[in-house]
Amino acid sequence: MNSKEYDYIIIGAGFSGLSCALRLAMFDHKVAILESHSIPGGLNSYYKRKAGKEIIRIDTGLHALTNYSVKGELGTKLFPQILKQFRFSYDQFNLCPQIKSKIILQDQMIEFSNDINFLSQNVKNLFPNHHQEFLNFLEFVKTQNLNLYNAPFASGLEMISSFINNKNLINLLSFPIICYGSCWPKDIDSYLYLSLFKAIYLEGLSRPREGIKTILDLFEEKLKTYKNVDLIYKNQVANLEIQKNAIRVETQKSTFLTKKVFSSIGYPKMKDLLGEKLHKENLSQVSFVEVVFVYDEEKDQAYEETIIFFNESETNIFEQKDVLIGKSAGVICCVENFKSSKKLNKIIKVTFYGNYSAWSKLDKKEYIKNKKTIIDYAKSKLQLYLPKEKRNPVYIDCFTPKTIKRYTSHLNGMVYGSTDKFKDGLFHASKDLILIGADQGNVGITGCILSGASMANKHGLSLR
Amino acid sequence: MDRETIKKQIIEIIADILPDQDLSSLSEEESLREQLGMDSMDVLDIAMEFRKNFKIAIEDEDLVKLSSLNSCIEYLDQKISSKSH
Ligand SMILES: Cc1cc2nc3c(=O)[nH]c(=O)nc-3n(C[C@H](O)[C@H](O)[C@H](O)COP(=O)(O)OP(=O)(O)OC[C@H]3O[C@@H](n4cnc5c(N)ncnc54)[C@H](O)[C@@H]3O)c2cc1C
């Protein structure tokens, strides 16, 4: 069988794979992206459903894009960096910023928006004795150079505790950070803590008006303008072999030879494809169950929360041992409550922690039954946290860690990667195998875009 | 290649990287960092584009020389003329 040759092969057309391939392609390298599915996006993709009279597009992941910036902004924010790296212009993203979001933990509640002064004022009102500590922490976050960070796991919660001497305030501020990026059960690496603190509070949340497809199309269309790129869908990599002068990459359909592989499928899966021993302890248990409510009537303008992070349990934020969902905590996202001059999709999402092994034990009947129970449970949370929301949904969907595994191949339906992170991308004796995405140590859409770009820059591009 | 042509090409490269910025009043002397908030990652990108567009090799140590429009022009001028000899 003839094998095709490329300078670089990228495994996975999620955000880290797309961005990595585009950076390499921009500077004339011959690259191929191999993707199991027929469309790009991975954990952040989309599908179409008939809802009421209309056919609508539903995003599989996207609550919000972190790292908001306004047009023309210069400086160190991440979003302008992304625009520059890929030569996109701001308006192509159609970003709609959040109105405001809420964090509710037991009987405490704090609001934040894309203006850090609003959060700061709220901290001052609720925790007057700790406001200065909060300001000190802000200063600390601003001065950290996240590009150079390369250290083993250090507790993010301990880090913030060394600044802020109030458990409630720490828990409030940390909850969204952990929801949006931690693969560890009760804590988060300080590097990720800092980058997500910046991403969520200092820079802020937004959403492309038409959802995730806008960003996927930007990448895909730009990639297609390069003749030196092949975007190869429906090709699942089944085997990897390190040969003397090349790496051999096999899918069920073809064989490829390349100098380097950039992979977004994670450390455990890469070990698996190389036929090397997989250590189970690297697997994270963090996955999601998400209920999607679609409406056809206009929203009553009476509430304007964009995202609500809630946790009702006192001791443990995460109940994810062997439960179908972590009942006490969740995230509600109201797509209509981003600021926009045009109408946004009438969708509300309710997301809980979910555990893959609990879901995979169910037979088909029980699986469907449990999904129904969880949809009802999600409705009760909507009534509690958005009492003014009275509409009847015209379409409801629910996906589980099993769904996530089926569509992304991530073991356990892992959302934020395995618990080992390789910040320089190198995980193997061969330096021609490079990790991008969550296991490289960046999470979220903007984080993964940056991951793909920075690993391409570091390992794939040269000035000479 | 004369100085004006080089300058024009450099501005085209910067415009490609920063499509949302107005470059009409860009000063030749002032640093690109000050004027356009360009950081080391951007300078690397400018260098990558130079390499691609002018077919020249650039040493890592030379990146510091690419601080202003003027220094970029000088650097390229030198590189291109030494290449053609
Ligand atoms: C429910 C949910 C909500 C989320 N909400 C947000 C949010 O609001 N904001 C945010 O910033 N982030 C969010 N995220 C996280 C975000 O989706 C991820 O961090 C990011 O998309 C990961 O991108 P990636 O490229 O690293 O990996 P992936 O997207 O997982 O890409 C990996 C790709 O590799 C492909 N693949 C796997 N195995 C193979 C193989 N053997 N051969 C070929 N291809 C293969 C997969 O099909 C997939 O396309 C959410 C995630 C989920 C699940």
Side-chain angles (χ1 to χ4, degrees):
Chain A
M1 190 164 58
N2 265 348
S3 45
K4 296 178 204 109
E5 289 184 25
Y6 291 92
D7 295 334
Y8 303 123
I9 282 184
I10 290 96
I11 309 181
F15 276 100
S16 61
L18 292 169
S19 70
C20 182
L22 184 49
R23 282 295 294 175
L24 297 170
M26 281 166 67
F27 298 103
D28 299 337
H29 294 287
K30 191 176 176 210
V31 297
I33 310 181
L34 304 176
E35 164 60 52
S36 324
H37 283 282
S38 50
I39 57 166
L43 285 168
N44 251 295
S45 197
Y46 58 88
Y47 58 96
K48 284 183 181 158
R49 282 290 178 278
K50 191 152 196 278
K53 290 182 208 90
E54 281 175 82
I55 293 186
I56 62 148
R57 205 167 51 225
I58 299 173
D59 292 332
T60 52
L62 184 69
H63 282 189
L65 200 65
T66 57
N67 303 89
Y68 178 69
S69 74
V70 296
K71 186 175 176 173
E73 217 170 326
L74 300 170
T76 59
K77 287 192 175 176
L78 194 56
F79 192 68
Q81 299 279 11
I82 288 174
L83 298 179
K84 286 189 285 188
Q85 283 281 294
F86 302 102
R87 326 294 192 236
F88 290 134
S89 77
Y90 185 87
D91 293 333
Q92 290 179 294
F93 286 77
N94 280 318
L95 292 186
C96 307
Q98 69 164 325
I99 299 177
K100 63 173 182 183
S101 294
K102 261 184 184 169
I103 310 160
I104 307 172
L105 302 188
Q106 295 110 56
D107 48 3
Q108 295 234 292
M109 189 276 281
I110 197 160
E111 291 182 331
F112 68 97
S113 67
N114 288 353
D115 175 7
I116 187 69
N117 297 319
F118 177 62
L119 174 63
S120 181
Q121 192 57 48
N122 293 337
V123 169
K124 195 173 180 180
N125 295 341
L126 285 167
F127 302 92
N129 298 334
H130 301 280
H131 185 237
Q132 189 54 47
E133 295 167 5
F134 171 79
L135 293 177
N136 294 345
F137 184 64
L138 274 191
E139 265 327 293
F140 172 73
V141 177
K142 283 184 198 163
T143 53
Q144 293 304 298
N145 183 345
L146 297 177
N147 293 334
L148 298 175
Y149 217 95
N150 205 349
F153 181 93
S155 161
L157 292 178
E158 272 174 31
M159 175 184 62
I160 188 173
S161 307
S162 69
F163 284 86
I164 297 178
N165 194 16
N166 180 292
K167 210 146 182 63
N168 286 337
L169 179 55
I170 292 173
N171 285 343
L172 282 168
L173 294 173
S174 305
F175 187 54
I177 290 174
I178 287 173
C179 290
Y180 276 180
S182 182
C183 63
W184 297 274
K186 289 178 194 168
D187 202 338
I188 178 163
D189 182 43
S190 56
Y191 160 79
L192 272 174
Y193 193 105
L194 288 168
S195 55
L196 284 162
F197 194 97
K198 253 186 166 166
I200 298 170
Y201 300 123
L202 279 163
E203 298 180 14
L205 306 176
S206 74
R207 196 174 196 287
R209 192 191 307 125
E210 307 280 335
I212 203 67
K213 189 169 183 292
T214 301
I215 313 181
L216 289 172
D217 285 353
L218 281 176
F219 275 97
E220 207 181 4
E221 277 159 25
K222 192 142 207 167
L223 277 166
K224 284 182 181 161
T225 64
Y226 291 94
K227 291 194 185 68
N228 47 321
V229 181
D230 287 329
L231 244 167
I232 307 173
Y233 291 113
K234 296 187 186 165
N235 265 256
Q236 178 157 38
V237 176
N239 195 32
L240 277 174
E241 197 190 314
I242 304 167
Q243 299 183 334
K244 209 163 168 212
N245 294 314
I247 299 168
R248 200 178 134 92
V249 183
E250 272 174 40
T251 70
Q252 289 95 334
K253 294 174 185 162
S254 327
T255 309
F256 306 84
L257 287 175
T258 187
K259 289 185 278 191
K260 278 188 189 187
V261 170
F262 293 82
S263 170
S264 64
I265 64 177
Y267 172 64
K269 266 270 164 184
M270 283 301 282
K271 295 288 271 185
D272 191 30
L273 289 182
L274 289 158
E276 295 172 9
K277 201 167 174 279
L278 171 74
H279 301 281
K280 276 266 179 344
E281 59 268 28
N282 301 330
L283 297 185
S284 156
Q285 302 293 324
V286 174
S287 189
F288 290 148
V289 171
E290 187 162 279
V291 183
V292 181
F293 297 99
V294 182
Y295 304 93
D296 66 353
E297 300 161 61
E298 288 306 317
K299 179 175 77 87
D300 184 346
Q301 289 304 317
Y303 69 92
E304 56 177 24
E305 291 90 343
T306 310
I307 296 178
I308 299 173
F309 301 87
F310 66 89
N311 179 24
E312 296 154 5
S313 91
E314 229 171 84
T315 48
N316 197 345
I317 306 185
F318 317 93
E319 304 171 59
Q320 35 173 316
K321 274 141 274 162
D322 210 11
V323 291
L324 294 173
I325 61 165
K327 277 196 147 180
S328 63
V331 183
I332 300 171
C333 174
C334 310
V335 172
E336 291 152 284
N337 285 350
F338 287 85
K339 290 178 207 161
S340 168
S341 53
K342 290 195 189 147
K343 293 261 175 290
L344 291 158
N345 264 342
K346 299 187 262 299
I347 291 177
I348 296 181
K349 296 180 170 194
V350 186
T351 311
F352 303 99
Y353 275 99
N355 182 283
Y356 178 78
S357 65
W359 283 97
S360 60
K361 278 179 203 142
L362 304 176
D363 65 31
K364 201 165 179 195
K365 229 171 123 187
E366 282 176 289
Y367 182 82
I368 293 168
K369 198 179 125 215
N370 275 289
K371 269 172 67 156
K372 287 211 174 100
T373 314
I374 284 164
I375 288 171
D376 288 336
Y377 186 68
K379 280 184 183 163
S380 74
K381 291 297 155 199
L382 273 191
Q383 274 165 18
L384 185 63
Y385 292 106
L386 291 175
K388 289 176 183 158
E389 177 53 66
K390 305 275 189 224
R391 292 173 294 181
N392 285 319
V394 287
Y395 176 78
I396 303 176
D397 202 358
C398 172
F399 64 81
T400 74
K402 259 186 101 163
T403 330
I404 296 177
K405 168 138 192 271
R406 176 149 35 91
Y407 285 104
T408 66
S409 320
H410 288 299
L411 299 167
N412 280 353
M414 284 187 297
V415 174
Y416 299 129
S418 69
T419 54
D420 282 311
K421 304 293 180 195
F422 303 85
K423 286 167 194 154
D424 56 4
L426 302 173
F427 70 104
H428 197 269
S430 165
K431 295 197 170 14
D432 297 326
L433 298 170
I434 292 136
L435 286 173
I436 54 176
D439 282 9
Q440 184 268 316
N442 277 299
V443 295
I445 299 160
T446 40
C448 286
I449 291 175
L450 187 78
S451 166
S454 60
M455 290 300 106
N457 295 350
K458 188 176 166 70
H459 299 289
L461 301 181
S462 156
L463 282 169
R464 244 153 276 158
Chain B
M1 207 182 295
D2 64 51
R3 195 176 189 282
E4 271 313 299
T5 319
I6 295 177
K7 181 178 168 184
K8 220 177 121 216
Q9 291 211 26
I10 296 174
I11 291 187
E12 265 169 37
I13 288 170
I14 299 176
D16 193 37
I17 297 177
L18 290 167
D20 297 324
Q21 297 300 324
D22 175 16
L23 302 177
S24 56
S25 57
L26 202 62
S27 133
E28 287 191 19
E29 282 79 38
E30 244 184 281
S31 80
L32 294 170
R33 181 187 293 268
E34 290 287 316
Q35 296 183 82
L36 298 169
M38 297 196 115
D39 58 16
S40 56
M41 212 156 146
D42 304 323
V43 173
L44 189 69
D45 247 42
I46 292 181
M48 290 293 300
E49 294 286 0
F50 286 175
R51 178 181 174 272
K52 183 170 148 181
N53 293 8
F54 300 99
K55 309 264 179 292
I56 50 167
I58 295 173
E59 303 299 319
D60 287 332
E61 308 84 80
D62 289 350
L63 290 178
V64 286
K65 297 183 188 160
L66 308 179
S67 61
S68 70
L69 197 52
N70 232 347
S71 62
C72 287
I73 299 171
E74 260 163 48
Y75 179 75
L76 283 179
D77 200 14
Q78 208 182 5
K79 276 269 169 185
I80 294 166
S81 54
S82 69
K83 198 179 78 170
S84 56
H85 287 308

